[in-house]
Amino acid sequence: MTDFVWSERRSNTVLNRPKDLRSPWQRDRARILHSAAFRRLQSKTQILGIGQNDFYRTRLTHSLEAAQIGTGLVNQLKSKLSPEQQLLLPDHSLIEALCLAHDIGHPPFGHGGETALNYKMLHAGGFEGNGQTLRIVAKLEPYTLNHGMDLSRRTLLGLLKYPVLQPDLTHISVAEINPLSLNAWKPAKAIFADDADILDWILAPLTSSDREMFQQTDVFACSPYLKSRFKSLDASIMELADDIAYGVHDLEDAIVLGNISPTQWLQHTTETFTKLPAEFHTILHNITQNLFSDLHHLRKEAIGYLVNLLICSVQLTTSLPQASSPLIRFNAALPEPEQALLNCLKQVVYNCVISRPDIQQSRFRSQNMLMSLFDAFASDPERLLPANTQVRWQKAAPQLKLRVICDYISGMTDDYAEHMYQRLFAAQWR
């Protein structure tokens, strides 16, 4: 795919960089790698909290691994496609850029922090990590005056996991006092309505019928929230790389740290594994033995085998057969058995690690900490916000002032949020 429209930048400016031979995607990757938002991932929670151990993965190391898996997926797809179809695939610089940037919109404390900020922003446009990623790369990161990192259009399209706008939820009642439980306030999977101009620019090359198909949504029966049904080819590769990194590499962390026992592993995998085709049974039996071996190199071999098994099975599917643009007509996906295996691995991590009482207690604490920070800054922004954020707050339209506060808090690392909470609320500051 070499169509010039997808390599355009919103600023429509060309930098004077003599002898710069980089492609647009190489430049995008460089802008992401050198951004403050990317560096902050080193101190943001992946699953276990920052500082609890020096072994496990952070958002930064997770993103680096996702980028490596993403290039592997592209290589596998290329080996299975005709020369004409190969031209549709993102090159390595583009898929690396997407995987490196896919989590930079996550707030401190992972999905718990995301839910807390969504609750506080429910009447001001909501909050969702992927929507914040778009804000950072297209508005907030100070690479340019008005367009953030000013990434190429195809890069922005690839970062859109949910290419639709948030619904208006101002009719939903919100308590004046912060609720202790936030289970009911998970965010809609969508882009902020404040950023509709960015979304319109990204999707401008699509025909009206393509855009209508691409932006179909599902509404969850249990809540008034929605989730988009489709994503672009590049976004599907990025999301698959993300899922494999989460399902396999975070599983490795959990096993090494003793959070998953052989008994728990069998309890949560046996039913799924027995339903897989017969050729998987011996492979998975050997992987199980090696995962819990006292010999570290055998565990590494098992983890590598799982990653390779999933990457090598990737295939090109048709997600929107009627679409004229190949960037939204096709997606990358795993065959049913491999997808069932990956889903099972993710559930093991969720059931044995994320759902543990000590992890949920930590999430409970961090959620309420972020809500308290939000209330503090919203109560007296011209006194408490840092100087540069005060300027943004003062210039913002009245309906966008809370968004400025949300941008500031969501950009914090876990450590910085803890430090700020102690500064504002601790009984004694030392």
Side-chain angles (χ1 to χ4, degrees), residues 377-394:
F377 288 117
S379 71
D380 201 346
E382 292 187 281
R383 181 162 70 109
L384 299 179
L385 287 173
N388 60 335
T389 308
Q390 281 190 37
V391 172
R392 284 191 60 226
W393 184 88
Q394 290 162 354

Side-chain angles (χ1 to χ4, degrees), residues 30 60 89 149 213 225 249 284 311 357 395:
L60 179 66
L89 297 174
M149 297 184 199
M213 287 186 288
Y225 301 163
H249 289 305
L284 293 174
I311 290 177
K395 291 181 178 179

Side-chain angles (χ1 to χ4, degrees), residues 127-320:
F127 181 84
E128 195 279 326
N130 190 244
Q132 190 67 17
T133 293
L134 182 65
R135 278 184 69 74
I136 289 171
V137 300
K139 281 189 177 180
L140 301 181
E141 188 71 24
Y143 190 93
T144 63
L145 182 61
N146 297 310
H147 302 297
M149 297 184 199
D150 198 24
L151 302 179
S152 305
R153 194 192 312 258
R154 180 166 175 174
T155 302
L156 294 177
L157 178 68
L159 285 173
L160 289 179
K161 293 172 66 173
Y162 317 114
V164 296
L165 294 178
Q166 288 267 356
D168 181 2
L169 300 177
T170 54
H171 61 284
I172 296 179
S173 176
V174 177
E176 292 185 10
I177 301 175
N178 291 333
L180 291 179
S181 174
L182 290 174
N183 290 334
W185 304 106
K186 294 180 180 179
K189 300 299 186 180
I191 302 304
F192 308 137
D194 303 339
D195 301 322
D197 57 329
I198 304 172
L199 183 62
D200 286 340
W201 183 82
I202 296 170
L203 302 183
L206 301 181
T207 65
S208 57
S209 60
D210 274 8
R211 180 166 177 171
E212 182 178 355
M213 287 186 288
F214 187 52
Q215 294 188 287
Q216 295 177 65
T217 60
D218 289 321
V219 177
F220 301 141
C222 60
S223 74
Y225 301 163
L226 57 76
K227 181 179 180 180
S228 59
R229 296 177 60 189
F230 300 104
K231 57 182 65 68
S232 70
L233 169 62
D234 300 344
S236 71
I237 299 173
M238 174 266 285
E239 188 168 47
L240 183 53
D242 181 25
D243 282 352
I244 293 173
Y246 164 65
V248 181
H249 289 305
D250 289 346
L251 171 69
E252 179 185 13
D253 281 1
I255 291 174
V256 171
L257 294 173
N259 293 325
I260 299 177
S261 68
T263 300
Q264 289 175 307
W265 169 260
L266 293 174
Q267 176 187 348
H268 291 289
T269 61
T270 299
E271 182 178 354
T272 297
F273 286 4
T274 55
K275 293 178 181 178
L276 294 175
E279 60 266 25
F280 282 78
H281 295 170
T282 301
I283 294 171
L284 293 174
H285 173 75
N286 292 336
I287 285 174
T288 295
Q289 296 295 110
N290 289 344
L291 281 177
F292 295 94
S293 171
D294 292 332
L295 300 176
H296 295 319
H297 74 280
L298 292 181
R299 185 187 304 117
K300 270 295 180 187
E301 183 180 321
I303 292 297
Y305 197 103
L306 278 172
V307 173
N308 184 70
L309 175 66
L310 295 169
I311 290 177
C312 292
S313 67
V314 68
Q315 56 191 17
L316 194 69
T317 62
T318 304
S319 56
L320 280 171

